[in-house]
Amino acid sequence: MDIRIQVDSAPVLGPLLVLFAVGTVVQVWRGAWNKRRALLQLAAAVYVAAVLSLTVFPLNVTWGEYANQASWVGQINPVPLLTADVTMIPNVIMMVPAGFLLPLLFRHATSWSRAALMTAAASLFLEAAQLLSYIVLNNGRSVDINDVLANTLGGIAGYALVTLALRAPALSGPLLAASLPRSAALQDDRRRTAPAGTPGQAPIAAPVVRP
């Protein structure tokens, strides 16, 4: 039996985004989320969908005569930087928004090293998904350690940008208002602005990208 089907991102991710948007509107209407936090989460959802559409979709399902006959092992490049070139730049750019959003959404993104680890983990997940789709669907996608390195660099760059933005008075207010309650950015701001001597609220420096 020969099968050749292409599954585009829109029929899969589109309905999921619509459901998320509807749920977000309901949460705002109920007063559980403010509008800025809702917009931030919608922006994050759209960003995730965009990344998936670029890295995982379209899914080309091929079996039988149309199947890719190359071994899946040959689709993996485990050697870093050996084949690095300018094609890594789009992978860097793709993860800059991720690094920017991390401290606004998650409580563990408290330093550039943690942001780098979180971005690398997300990148490894994408590469694993590509490899799995190659093994199961024969869709011809390859896995490259250089993509992980480029994605991680993009996450660090995004974290550096949000760190600078949180230091700018004109930008810090809107960003903190949109941050989730337990996010690293908001928790750090609360510690810095708490009165001296408040238990558990010792002031610390704002998130800084360390050399």
Side-chain angles (χ1 to χ4, degrees):
M1 180 174 63
D2 297 324
I3 297 177
R4 188 173 185 179
I5 303 172
Q6 178 171 295
V7 181
D8 293 324
S9 60
V12 178
L13 300 178
L16 293 177
L17 280 177
V18 171
L19 288 174
F20 186 83
V22 170
T24 300
V25 171
V26 171
Q27 291 290 74
V28 172
W29 178 72
R30 294 174 57 191
W33 296 350
N34 64 38
K35 292 181 180 179
R36 288 183 176 178
R37 286 176 180 166
L39 287 174
L40 177 69
Q41 292 180 84
L42 277 175
V46 171
Y47 168 69
V48 170
V51 170
L52 290 176
S53 68
L54 290 172
T55 58
V56 177
F57 291 90
L59 294 174
N60 294 306
V61 183
T62 57
W63 285 316
E65 180 182 350
Y66 300 107
N68 194 323
Q69 301 300 321
S71 170
W72 65 268
V73 176
Q75 298 301 110
I76 302 175
N77 173 30
V79 182
L81 303 179
L82 185 61
T83 59
D85 54 26
V86 294
T87 60
M88 292 177 64
I89 295 177
N91 285 301
V92 174
I93 296 173
M94 183 178 69
M95 282 298 181
V96 170
F100 191 96
L101 290 169
L102 283 175
L104 306 180
L105 296 173
F106 302 103
R107 62 174 179 166
H108 296 298
T110 55
S111 67
W112 75 266
S113 57
R114 289 193 174 191
L117 286 173
M118 295 170 76
T119 309
S123 181
L124 285 171
F125 171 80
L126 293 174
E127 295 297 312
Q130 290 177 344
L131 181 61
L132 181 62
S133 65
Y134 182 87
I135 295 173
V136 176
L137 306 177
N138 299 303
N139 69 352
R141 289 186 176 270
S142 60
V143 178
D144 195 337
I145 187 62
N146 291 317
D147 291 346
V148 178
L149 296 177
N151 291 160
T152 303
L153 183 59
I156 294 172
Y159 184 84
L161 289 176
V162 76
T163 298
L164 294 175
L166 288 170
R167 289 178 174 178
L171 298 175
S172 62
L175 287 174
L176 290 172
S179 301
L180 297 191
R182 299 185 67 185
S183 65
L186 198 56
Q187 291 298 319
D188 181 77
D189 180 71
R190 288 171 178 169
R191 286 192 293 267
R192 288 189 298 108
T193 57
T198 302
Q201 297 290 337
I204 64 172
V208 178
V209 176
R210 305 182 182 90

